[in-house]
Amino acid sequence: MTAQLIDGKAFAADVRAQVAQHVKTLKDAHGITPGLAVVLVGEDPASQVYVRSKGKQTVEVGMNSFEHKLEADTSETDLLALIDQLNSDPAVHGILVQLPLPGHLNEDLVINAIDPAKDVDGFHISNVGLLGTGQKSMVPCTPLGCLMMLRAHHGSLSGMDAVVIGRSNIVGKPMAQLLLGDSCTVTIAHSRTKDLADVVRRADIVVAAVGRPQMVPGDWVKPGATVIDVGINRIEKPEGGTRLVGDVDFDSCAEVAGAITPVPGGVGPMTIACLLANTLTACCRANGLEEPQGLTA
Ligand code: GUN
């Protein structure tokens, strides 16, 4: 392997330590404790794991964690009533509704019912619009984590060619906006893109967020490029059992890239760290206090 490994786990630990320090200062100087409410509807096993992990890390940085677990058949009216209640609760600075929601619930309606100032996922249409127009917003956690690692590795991203593979609202589109905000020349590629290999080969920065295991081979990557792998896919091992892989073929890409994030231990740990950072940011804004530097876009 020739690429430098970008250690998301160490990075996330550093972000959490910075958040914890700010939380302590907020408590000592102002008597304020940031609070994050997480809403889980139903019993999706992967969502349960994420929500548990979020709650644990929230408490570890000194914030209050409020968990709301609702039955899978909860009505839209009841869910919206809970969101209303959290919107007006001064102890709650961040609200996250875990996705996906059960099929009978309208995700857009639910997300857009969250107070944009408490929308720590950055999914509300107001935050999407603010980000797209370069205004102060809440920034989606996974793209924010990717941006932080890219800035730390490169310093300035200005003038770099970036390709984002994947056009989801959660990762691809906001990632492209953030890279554009940092003056990259950005291409968003997707399942209908012609000559994807050629598009990727031109890029100094590749962000893969398609949800297809090991889709990007090393011979698509420009020598020395930085590869950020957002994918988390579980695949069968030939010898039995399963393992986690990303959207890029790590072994072949690591022979060509200048730097690469591993899976696991790359982007994944940064997502929750950025959720905590966003909750801290939301709390500072709600109280008219200066925002922490380096923890927002
Ligand atoms: N499900 C998978 N990723 C996410 C995320 O970033 N936020 C929420 N709310 N749900 C998710």
Side-chain angles (χ1 to χ4, degrees):
M1 167 172 154
T2 53
Q4 182 183 334
L5 210 58
I6 299 178
D7 186 349
K9 208 169 150 188
F11 229 100
D14 181 54
V15 170
R16 287 196 303 273
Q18 289 183 57
V19 171
Q21 183 58 47
H22 283 287
V23 169
K24 185 174 181 323
T25 307
L26 269 182
K27 278 187 198 176
D28 293 348
H30 303 281
I32 298 167
T33 303
L36 172 63
V38 174
V39 180
L40 174 64
V41 186
E43 286 169 6
D44 177 65
S47 292
Q48 285 178 324
V49 173
Y50 283 131
V51 166
R52 220 177 4 254
S53 188
K54 283 168 191 164
K56 183 166 168 278
Q57 293 189 35
T58 303
V59 172
E60 279 169 4
V61 296
M63 296 182 181
N64 289 325
S65 169
F66 309 101
E67 278 184 22
H68 296 268
K69 294 186 176 164
L70 307 181
E71 300 291 330
D73 63 354
T74 298
S75 70
E76 206 159 80
T77 310
D78 286 351
L79 178 55
L80 292 173
L82 172 61
I83 290 173
D84 255 0
Q85 181 199 317
L86 298 172
N87 281 343
S88 49
D89 184 342
V92 173
H93 304 95
I95 301 170
L96 179 145
V97 177
Q98 184 67 30
L99 302 178
L101 288 170
H104 67 286
L105 299 168
N106 179 333
E107 279 186 4
D108 289 338
L109 189 77
V110 170
I111 296 299
N112 291 323
I114 298 171
D115 176 350
K118 296 189 178 188
D119 168 37
V120 281
D121 261 327
F123 295 164
H124 189 288
I125 46 168
S126 295
N127 283 314
V128 175
L130 290 167
L131 178 62
T133 50
Q135 301 179 70
K136 197 157 89 173
S137 66
M138 295 305 303
V139 177
C141 305
T142 300
L144 178 57
C146 296
L147 183 75
M148 283 182 185
M149 291 192 287
L150 283 167
R151 282 178 175 169
H153 184 75
H154 287 283
S156 169
L157 307 182
S158 181
M160 296 180 85
D161 285 320
V163 62
V164 179
I165 315 174
R167 53 177 157 179
S168 70
N169 291 335
I170 294 183
V171 183
K173 287 182 207 163
M175 186 75 246
Q177 292 289 2
L178 289 172
L179 291 166
L180 194 57
D182 270 28
S183 301
C184 290
T185 303
V186 184
T187 303
I188 305 179
H190 46 79
S191 55
R192 300 289 176 90
T193 296
K194 278 185 277 178
D195 301 325
L196 181 58
D198 285 345
V199 172
V200 175
R201 264 184 213 119
R202 286 197 292 272
D204 305 307
I205 294 170
V206 181
V207 180
V210 266
R212 286 180 54 189
Q214 300 170 308
M215 191 193 122
V216 178
D219 67 1
W220 288 13
V221 173
K222 175 171 161 177
T226 299
V227 177
I228 305 290
D229 192 350
V230 179
I232 301 177
N233 311 287
R234 191 167 284 284
I235 62 163
E236 307 278 335
K237 289 195 285 192
E239 68 272 27
T242 63
R243 69 182 179 112
L244 290 180
V245 297
D247 289 351
V248 311
D249 178 48
F250 182 85
D251 291 343
S252 62
C253 287
E255 292 301 327
V256 188
I260 188 167
T261 59
V263 175
V267 175
M270 281 299 281
T271 296
I272 298 184
C274 288
L275 173 69
L276 304 175
N278 276 351
T279 305
L280 172 66
T281 299
C283 178
C284 291
R285 288 180 186 168
N287 287 283
L289 299 168
E290 200 183 328
E291 291 173 30
Q293 297 297 303
L295 295 177
T296 49

